[in-house]
């Protein structure tokens, strides 16, 4: 990545509090071996990056000149990484009563139509990022709208906050209303211009973004596949097999395709840097192919229950070696909080007969999502060399949570009530590239 364009604090800062961090994937190894908790720990930040992590006493002695911030009992973690969301849908979150295709037509498309207005897009991008920070989320991968202005607004708002975000122009050339359709050519050319403007600028990462196969012709998918081949460091984000009606529609629209994934694969849109949101109703071939390619699926549990999509097979897919990130999918998702999202992931897994450990949930919301975005070790990671994006959790943020956490005998029992019942009140502080993030809500 290019050197950050935003100003970095030059002083050494030492943050004190509890620490929870990961050295490996708790789905692949026993969680005891890859999780590390320090009751009185410290994180040293230098030039916007984490320089050292360890016991508070040891780091205080090693860096006596560092400026100290003491969070007391606060639990310092990597900031949350939301691997799939739609910032243009912030204004229509929690819209009632529809399933996917009707929800898109009734609520989403009319709202997305408004993002050709740069002022409207700017206000929505700023509001979304401020909400995300208030919920402890420091990196987000967002779909924008068809309008290049919506992409400029997203990256500009992130740059102003020093945040590492992913984004891309959402391309659609059919099955969308007039005013929300581009063409194969304009989707390619406008995306190419946005890649030149934003990809690798400061902390920005561009994702080539066909919305999903029903709203793209084969020609458009192929144009975007060719663009990805020309820009292989870009990510590619889309949707896959979210609802049964949608899968059936894809079969009608692409009768030649073996399955839904094949509509992307045939167009050059399947690769290790590909991100496929939802991926609930997969065939055996699709699962095997995703594992073979090393692509990432993004689980959006509050969305899957809110719009009635189904139950993601976390255990089966992780065991098969498929990469999985976690995401809010706002506004199809019903919460900006990755805590609430972890709770929903826990509940969805339970309904499939699998109990996820809090270590696995927290790993998914940080390291798992970062790996999905090919940003592993850069964000979502509390360790030397990572960018210093942190969330500090208050594990007793409400009376209900506090009275349960009080009985906790270890860190997992202490943190689980916050995962299940917490929201933005549980976020005590947020650091972005080492700096205190502005909390407009406080
Ligand atoms: N599939 C295609 N577009 C969307 C969207 O905006 N939200 C969700 N949840 N699914 C989609
Ligand atoms: Zn989505």
């Amino acid at each position: 990545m290019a050197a950050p364009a935003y100003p970095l604090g030059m002083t050494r800062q030492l943050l004190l509090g509890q620490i929870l961090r990961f050295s490996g994937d708790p789905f692949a190894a026993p969680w005891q071996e890859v999780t590390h908790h320090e009751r009185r720990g410290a994180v040293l930040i230098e030039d916007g990056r984490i320089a050292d992590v360890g016991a508070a006493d040891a780091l205080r002695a090693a860096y006596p000149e560092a400026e100290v911030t003491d969070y007391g009992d606060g639990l310092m973690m990597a900031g949350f990484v939301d691997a799939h969301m739609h910032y243009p849908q912030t204004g229509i979150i929690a819209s009632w009563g529809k399933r996917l295709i009707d929800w898109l037509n009734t609520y989403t498309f009319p709202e997305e139509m408004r993002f050709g207005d740069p002022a409207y897009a700017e206000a929505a991008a700023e509001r979304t990022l401020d909400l995300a920070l208030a919920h402890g989320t420091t990196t987000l991968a967002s779909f924008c709208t068809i309008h290049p202005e919506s992409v400029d607004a997203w990256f500009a708002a992130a740059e102003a906050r020093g945040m590492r975000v992913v984004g891309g122009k959402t391309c659609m050339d059919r099955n969308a209303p007039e005013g929300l359709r581009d063409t194969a050519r304009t989707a390619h050319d406008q995306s190419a211009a946005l890649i030149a403007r934003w990809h690798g600028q400061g902390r920005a990462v561009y994702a080539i973004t066909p919305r999903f196969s029903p709203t793209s012709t084969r020609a458009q998918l192929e144009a975007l596949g060719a663009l990805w081949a020309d820009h292989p460091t870009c990510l590619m984000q889309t949707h896959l097999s979210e609802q049964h009606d949608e899968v059936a529609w894809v079969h009608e629209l692409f009768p030649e395709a073996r399955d839904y994934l094949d509509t992307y694969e045939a167009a050059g849109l399947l690769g290790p840097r590909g991100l496929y949101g939802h991926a609930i109703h997969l065939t055996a071939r699709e699962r095997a192919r995703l594992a073979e390619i090393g692509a990432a699926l993004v689980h959006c549990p509050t969305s899957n229950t809110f719009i009635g999509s189904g139950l993601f097979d976390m255990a089966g897919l992780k065991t098969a070696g498929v990469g999985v990130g976690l995401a809010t999918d706002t506004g199809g998702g019903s919460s900006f909080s990755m805590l609430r999202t972890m709770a929903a992931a826990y509940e969805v897994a339970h309904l499939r007969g699998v109990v996820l450990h809090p270590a696995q949930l927290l790993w998914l919301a940080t390291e798992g999502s970062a790996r999905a975005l090919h940003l592993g070790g850069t964000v979502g990671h509390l360790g030397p060399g990572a960018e210093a994006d942190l969330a500090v959790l208050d594990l007793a943020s409400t009376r209900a949570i506090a009275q349960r956490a009080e009985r906790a005998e270890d860190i997992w029992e202490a943190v689980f009530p916050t995962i299940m019942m917490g929201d933005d009140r549980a976020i005590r502080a947020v650091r972005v590239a080492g700096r205190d993030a502005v909390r407009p809500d406080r």
Side-chain angles (χ1 to χ4, degrees):
M1 288 293 160
Y6 49 89
L8 296 166
M10 295 305 289
T11 54
R12 279 180 162 171
Q13 299 180 68
L14 200 58
L15 312 183
L16 307 182
Q18 298 194 68
I19 289 180
L20 191 57
R21 64 190 179 85
F22 296 96
S23 57
D25 177 351
F27 287 91
W31 59 261
Q32 295 90 335
E33 290 175 16
V34 295
T35 60
H36 308 277
H37 174 237
E38 195 89 52
R39 188 156 294 287
R40 194 63 187 148
V43 177
L44 182 77
I45 298 175
E46 211 171 55
D47 298 342
R49 286 184 184 271
I50 295 171
D52 205 349
V53 179
D57 288 348
L59 265 65
R60 287 195 86 145
Y63 307 101
E65 80 294 355
E67 183 186 302
V68 172
T69 304
D70 191 344
Y71 292 117
D73 267 354
L75 179 67
M76 297 190 283
M77 290 198 50
F80 298 130
V81 178
D82 184 348
H84 176 125
M85 52 85 62
H86 300 253
Y87 96 80
Q89 298 172 14
T90 288
I92 56 140
I93 192 169
S95 289
W96 182 84
K98 304 284 182 190
R99 290 172 62 79
L100 177 61
I101 306 302
D102 290 338
W103 175 85
L104 285 172
N105 287 318
T106 309
Y107 298 117
T108 309
F109 291 158
E111 178 65 10
E112 291 193 7
M113 210 87 89
R114 306 173 76 169
F115 282 70
D117 173 0
Y120 193 83
E122 183 187 347
E126 294 190 340
R127 184 158 20 102
T128 302
L129 290 176
D130 288 340
L131 282 165
L133 288 173
H135 287 84
T137 300
T138 46
T139 287
L140 307 89
S142 184
F143 286 62
C144 301
T145 67
I146 200 93
H147 315 94
E149 296 85 346
S150 74
V151 182
D152 291 334
W154 175 245
F155 284 126
E159 189 174 59
R161 288 158 181 75
M163 295 171 73
R164 182 173 284 292
V165 300
V166 175
K169 167 190 145 76
T170 297
C171 302
M172 299 194 274
D173 68 345
R174 63 167 161 176
N175 295 320
E178 179 69 36
L180 270 191
R181 289 194 307 268
D182 51 13
T183 66
R185 167 55 68 92
T186 58
H188 174 283
D189 293 355
Q190 291 175 348
S191 300
L194 290 162
I195 290 168
R197 192 171 320 147
W198 290 109
H199 184 55
Q201 292 301 310
R203 302 185 80 189
V205 176
Y206 195 87
I208 294 165
T209 308
R211 176 174 221 116
F212 66 157
S213 291
T215 47
S216 288
T217 59
R218 180 157 182 165
Q220 181 170 78
L221 295 178
E222 283 173 353
L224 294 174
L227 182 66
W228 199 15
D230 289 340
H231 299 278
T233 65
C234 286
L235 298 170
M236 191 291 302
Q237 60 181 352
T238 189
H239 297 88
L240 176 68
S241 298
E242 182 177 1
Q243 296 203 343
H244 289 298
D245 301 0
E246 171 209 5
V247 177
W249 194 21
V250 169
H251 283 296
E252 276 170 38
L253 292 168
F254 296 85
E256 72 287 3
R258 286 172 289 183
D259 47 43
Y260 196 156
L261 185 66
D262 198 31
T263 63
Y264 297 129
E265 185 166 3
L269 292 171
L270 177 62
R273 285 179 187 265
L275 295 155
Y276 305 85
H278 305 293
I280 298 166
H281 309 291
L282 298 178
T283 65
R285 189 203 83 90
E286 289 174 315
R287 294 164 67 104
R289 192 76 183 117
L290 286 159
E292 184 178 41
I293 291 287
L297 302 182
V298 188
H299 179 32
C300 307
T302 71
S303 169
N304 298 163
T305 53
F306 182 72
I307 52 180
S309 303
L311 307 176
F312 181 82
D313 181 16
M314 178 68 76
L317 289 159
K318 283 293 291 177
T319 303
V322 182
V324 180
L326 189 66
T328 63
D329 190 37
T330 49
S334 54
S335 174
F336 295 100
S337 171
M338 288 298 284
L339 293 169
R340 177 73 202 105
T341 303
M342 284 180 255
Y346 177 82
E347 291 162 353
V348 165
H350 232 324
L351 288 168
R352 293 196 66 126
V354 172
V355 178
L356 298 178
H357 190 273
Q360 294 175 317
L361 296 167
L362 291 166
W363 182 87
L364 283 169
T366 53
E367 306 261 357
S369 283
R371 284 190 194 185
L373 300 176
H374 278 250
L375 293 170
T378 300
V379 298
H381 181 64
L382 197 63
E387 296 173 350
D389 295 342
L390 277 75
V392 184
L393 306 190
D394 173 358
L395 300 183
S397 61
T398 67
R399 279 178 69 194
I401 294 172
Q403 62 87 36
R404 177 63 186 91
E406 213 173 66
R407 300 179 179 212
E409 299 200 341
D410 63 21
I411 181 62
W412 306 113
E413 246 192 290
V415 78
F416 194 57
T418 288
I419 291 175
M420 293 309 298
M421 299 193 283
D423 52 29
D424 52 333
R425 289 168 291 180
I427 307 303
R428 184 144 160 214
V430 179
R431 296 270 173 164
V432 174
R435 301 199 303 174
D436 235 332
V438 178
R439 297 287 311 272
D441 58 318
R442 292 263 163 102

